[in-house]
Amino acid sequence: MSLRRFVDEHDGAERGLVLANRSQPEQLRTMLAGVFSEQPVAVDEAEVEGVAEDTVLLLDESGEVLAESSLDAVSSSLLFTNSDAFVTGSTGLEETSLPAVIKGLEGVKFRLRGYPQSHKEKLLLIAVSRQIERTAWQRDTGTHRASFQRLSRIVDEQGTHRVYQTLGKSDVDTHVYGVDDAGTDWATELGVTVHAGETEDYRDSWFVIHRPPNPAAPDTPNPYALLAVEDEMGVWDGFFTTDPGEALPVDDYVRREL
């Protein structure tokens, strides 16, 4: 058994994005389509009555509108940024905000390439990871678990270090996972619990999970989980979800097995 099983068993949802009443340059439509060109997310353009100019609509399989966001919001969070903004810390927790149409892609099963195969595809999961970290920080309670493949990334990446320093100082019980290639002296300073190992789950998984303190209690917010596994060098299969039926079993597995 491994984390890969959860990805293999996930029945991915199909979603569509429609750029409605575009007034901005064609380049933006092309960029939006390019981000999802290899994903089960169709990107179209249309004139839609009753909708403001330059609005991105999220549709389900039947064509029902699930969410809408301005093209400016989608551009600033996804199209006009890059992974360096998260690595260097120029985009902090307090500035992280995913537009509704991107949050609404939960449940979709993605296959994403990292650099150098693609400059943009993997950014979607990076942005969602930061959104989950922000959610944990804002709630200031519960348990947060995140894997890094190599634990040295927490030390070497200024933005990542800053995020986990912030979480470590909060009331969130924060756990980090990966191959120990940097020692663990830094863990005490950050206030996080380190889990180091050499198995496939440590080497090839990417998970970020926030679990509220009592998920079964009435009015408790949903958990939030992202899980991806590296299928080949630089290529990731995964999904993100707020469905307790999917997020909690992943968290249970990580807590029990890692």
Side-chain angles (χ1 to χ4, degrees):
M1 184 182 295
S2 70
L3 283 166
R4 186 177 299 273
R5 174 177 65 88
F6 293 99
V7 175
D8 291 343
E9 294 178 354
H10 176 71
D11 293 326
E14 292 186 9
R15 295 290 181 262
L17 295 172
V18 173
L19 177 51
N21 309 328
R22 178 177 60 85
S23 67
Q24 297 194 41
E26 165 72 12
Q27 179 188 12
L28 290 180
R29 187 205 64 78
T30 302
M31 291 173 66
L32 181 63
V35 170
F36 298 102
S37 61
E38 302 297 324
Q39 311 307 320
V41 180
V43 178
D44 296 305
E45 182 177 2
E47 296 294 320
V48 182
E49 289 188 11
V51 174
E53 284 188 343
D54 300 313
T55 296
V56 181
L57 306 175
L58 174 69
L59 281 63
D60 66 9
E61 297 93 332
S62 67
E64 180 181 352
V65 176
L66 301 177
E68 61 180 69
S69 302
S70 70
L71 178 57
D72 285 344
V74 174
S75 297
S76 63
S77 66
L78 200 62
L79 304 185
F80 291 160
T81 190
N82 57 51
S83 59
D84 287 344
F86 298 99
V87 170
T88 63
S90 59
T91 299
L93 283 179
E94 66 282 354
E95 300 166 304
T96 300
S97 180
L98 278 184
V101 296
I102 303 302
K103 290 180 181 178
L105 294 173
E106 70 165 274
V108 173
K109 192 172 184 176
F110 294 100
R111 184 172 177 82
L112 301 167
R113 299 168 298 166
Y115 181 84
Q117 297 100 315
S118 171
H119 290 270
K120 282 292 185 182
E121 289 182 10
K122 189 179 170 184
L123 180 60
L124 174 66
L125 296 189
I126 295 174
V128 172
S129 296
R130 189 52 46 88
Q131 179 65 38
I132 298 173
E133 292 160 350
R134 175 184 170 93
T135 298
W137 171 60
Q138 288 180 320
R139 291 178 179 176
D140 198 29
T141 188
T143 304
H144 182 82
R145 306 182 193 276
S147 64
F148 296 89
Q149 295 80 61
R150 294 177 294 104
L151 287 169
S152 59
R153 289 178 50 204
I154 305 174
V155 181
D156 297 339
E157 297 176 1
Q158 182 179 359
T160 303
H161 185 275
R162 186 177 301 162
V163 165
Y164 281 83
Q165 186 176 52
T166 300
L167 285 172
K169 291 178 179 178
S170 73
D171 287 334
V172 179
D173 182 17
T174 303
H175 298 251
V176 297
Y177 300 76
V179 175
D180 181 9
D181 61 341
T184 56
D185 292 343
W186 48 269
T188 301
E189 181 260 327
L190 286 188
V192 302
T193 301
V194 173
H195 304 260
E198 300 284 343
T199 65
E200 175 186 340
D201 282 337
Y202 286 98
R203 298 192 317 269
D204 301 333
S205 70
W206 176 356
F207 57 80
V208 186
I209 309 164
H210 177 67
R211 182 185 189 119
N214 187 358
D219 300 323
T220 296
N222 281 356
Y224 207 156
L226 174 149
L227 173 63
V229 294
E230 194 169 17
D231 182 54
E232 55 188 78
M233 184 62 69
V235 181
W236 298 84
D237 295 320
F239 64 95
F240 61 96
T241 184
T242 59
D243 180 353
E246 289 199 296
L248 295 179
V250 174
D251 184 68
D252 289 339
Y253 174 90
V254 171
R255 175 176 51 83
R256 184 178 65 249
E257 302 294 338
L258 277 67

